[in-house]
Amino acid sequence: MKKRNFVLGLIALSVGMGSSLIGGTSAHAAEVTRTYSASKGFSSIEQGTNQWHYEKLAGSAYLDLIYDKSGNRWAAPSGYPWVSATALHPDQNFDAVRKWIAPGKGVISISGSVQKGSPEGDGVVVSIRKDEVKLWSETLTNTKAVTPSGVSRVAVEAGTEISFVVNKRGSSNHDHTMWEPDIAYTGAAGSTAGAAPSKSSASAANKNSSVVSVLDYGAKADDTIDDYPAFVAAIDAAKSMDKPVYVPAGNYVLSDILTIDGVKVQGAGKFLTTLTSTNPKRGSIDLKGTGTELSNLKHVYQTTVARGNGANEKNSITVRGAQNFKIENVYVSKSSTAGIMITYGSKNGIVSGNTLESTGADGIHMTGGSSYITVENNVVRKAGDDTIAVVSYIDSDKAAAHHIVIRKNDVGYGSKARGIAVVGGTDITISNNAIQETSMAGVYIAVEASYNTRNVDRVTVSNNVIDHTGLAKPSNHPNVLVYASQGIVDNVVFNQNTIKNGAHRGIGVWGSGSIKNITFNKNILIHRIGEATTFAKGNIKLNQNEGF
């Protein structure tokens, strides 16, 4: 498949213009000899001028860059990668590509050296490709110039793509690479108008589709080859076309953090489409921007590492300041830290119908001043810490997390800390959840000095069933615990909950901090072990409760 946007009649035109644009030309009947210079033929107007294109590459998908007048180069909207008349620079996710497309059948020879523009950085990998075949490649770690070998007398057809690719090694810092290739072409002077559509224009295949498939960008299910570049390319293309990304059934391998920014990514179902992260320290799926969605797929880690400092890069899903986002019908199985982390002021989100199990930290964790989040109809099993938590820190959060609804979730099942916890936060509703078999309290409302968390105000806990929690010794948590070791807990109301079979206690309210108005209305407490209620602190208001 070849580029569609060739400049028609270029060869005939250049014969009449001499060598002022891109080199000399001589004609013998239907055959021409011509040199195409990357620097002299550089265009700031249109892709394809003088047969040159300026692209970014991920997987097998080449995507056009956009001309940046201020930098006098073709670049992605973020600024990287870019291609100028004399140099290229990749970024973390995309290679930088200068591409020449053959105007007809013939033979080419490539000349010109390549070198890093700076001695700093960990180096680059440079290569020359003919369509999908690699003709030459070299790793450059210093500024010594290298001349490509084995690129003389290369046969081409009309539309053959010759790509000059610069790829990062570990990091893309200081990867500015000087490369001004020349191509001497001898062959037919015919137009490429009849050439096949380009492999590089994977987006063209999607113009008549309502979705962008990762398969169109080089992803292949159920093998061991890294699909990360293909996913990056598909997401990038989908954003430019304002379409969702579709991931068909099968298992796909991801080697790094996958960022989804303002795009909907949909699988075939959470038991049909699996994304497997192979780097236990950098495997998060990150959601950013506005309107981002992740749905109908499973995310797993091939292996995990110790929770350690709880780095977000080790979460299964991290929502980083996104707005109007959704995470629906996703299956999270294993992570080194949290299952779903919502932070950096994320706002207006829905987390619904997901299944999370065997996470290294909390199942679902909301912090960083996030607000207006609804967490509903999720199942959380065997969490490494709390199953669902709202946490607000004084040191790192500009404001408390607020206006969060946690409802109709089924959680616990061997989780290692609390069931549903609010440790700093305001305007929180916890309703109609089933909470069982947690090591610590089933419902935990607190301000903690050890983590320097913010105050708690206006929390309503209604119509939940809290059954057999607080299993761990010697903590001996009650089923429900309101606690303050600093700050203020105020305006917490428990309505019509069933609180039963506590492993050690029923309900506790205590701590050295300030606990103010705590209200219990029409709750049922069924308790057989230890104290039914321990109200050591606060203004406790009781109304029509049973078993207190």
Side-chain angles (χ1 to χ4, degrees), residues 26-315:
S26 62
H28 298 284
E31 187 175 89
V32 298
T33 298
R34 181 169 183 170
T35 298
Y36 292 85
S37 167
S39 56
K40 293 179 181 179
F42 182 78
S43 173
S44 61
I45 299 173
E46 185 178 18
Q47 292 270 9
T49 299
N50 304 323
Q51 306 300 114
W52 293 105
H53 296 259
Y54 314 97
E55 301 174 340
K56 56 185 180 181
L57 168 65
S60 62
Y62 294 84
L63 304 169
D64 286 349
L65 297 172
I66 300 168
Y67 190 71
D68 172 18
K69 292 182 180 179
S70 62
N72 194 26
R73 60 198 186 192
W74 295 83
S78 64
Y80 293 90
W82 57 256
V83 181
S84 72
T86 59
L88 306 89
H89 197 306
D91 79 349
Q92 283 298 115
N93 294 318
F94 288 94
D95 301 345
V97 180
R98 188 193 310 276
K99 179 176 287 182
W100 178 84
I101 299 185
K105 183 176 182 179
V107 175
I108 65 169
S109 293
I110 301 169
S111 59
S113 62
V114 55
Q115 66 185 93
K116 280 188 87 257
S118 167
E120 300 179 83
D122 60 0
V124 294
V125 179
V126 294
S127 60
I128 300 174
R129 304 179 188 182
K130 174 186 171 183
D131 293 332
E132 295 182 350
V133 177
K134 188 177 293 183
L135 301 178
W136 170 84
S137 182
E138 188 78 38
T139 298
L140 309 181
T141 57
N142 54 47
T143 56
K144 181 181 179 181
V146 175
T147 300
S149 60
V151 287
S152 297
R153 305 295 301 170
V154 177
V156 296
E157 301 289 335
T160 295
E161 300 177 355
I162 303 297
S163 299
F164 301 86
V165 182
V166 177
N167 183 16
K168 70 175 180 66
R169 292 185 75 197
S171 167
S172 63
N173 294 334
H174 308 291
D175 280 357
H176 175 205
T177 303
M178 311 299 294
W179 202 355
E180 303 176 54
D182 290 335
I183 295 178
Y185 166 79
T186 300
S191 165
T192 55
S198 174
K199 294 171 185 174
S200 63
S201 297
S203 59
N206 290 292
K207 287 182 178 178
N208 296 321
S209 174
S210 60
V211 298
V212 172
S213 172
V214 296
L215 302 184
D216 291 332
Y217 292 83
K220 294 183 180 179
D222 303 320
D223 61 16
T224 59
I225 299 172
D226 184 17
D227 296 299
Y228 175 78
F231 272 69
V232 170
I235 290 168
D236 186 81
K239 187 171 184 178
S240 69
M241 291 185 278
D242 193 26
K243 293 181 178 181
V245 173
Y246 179 62
V247 188
N251 181 61
Y252 301 85
V253 176
L254 300 176
S255 62
D256 204 350
I257 293 170
L258 182 67
T259 298
I260 305 171
D261 187 348
V263 175
K264 299 176 176 66
V265 176
Q266 308 164 347
K270 65 182 178 183
F271 298 109
L272 297 174
T273 298
T274 301
L275 309 184
T276 300
S277 290
T278 57
N279 186 341
K281 295 182 179 180
R282 290 184 57 84
S284 174
I285 299 175
D286 284 4
L287 276 56
K288 296 182 177 180
T290 300
T292 305
E293 296 184 13
L294 184 68
S295 63
N296 299 316
L297 54 80
K298 181 178 182 180
H299 181 228
V300 305
Y301 273 84
Q302 193 173 73
T303 59
T304 58
V305 294
R307 174 179 176 178
N309 62 0
N312 287 329
E313 290 77 10
K314 300 186 291 186
N315 297 328

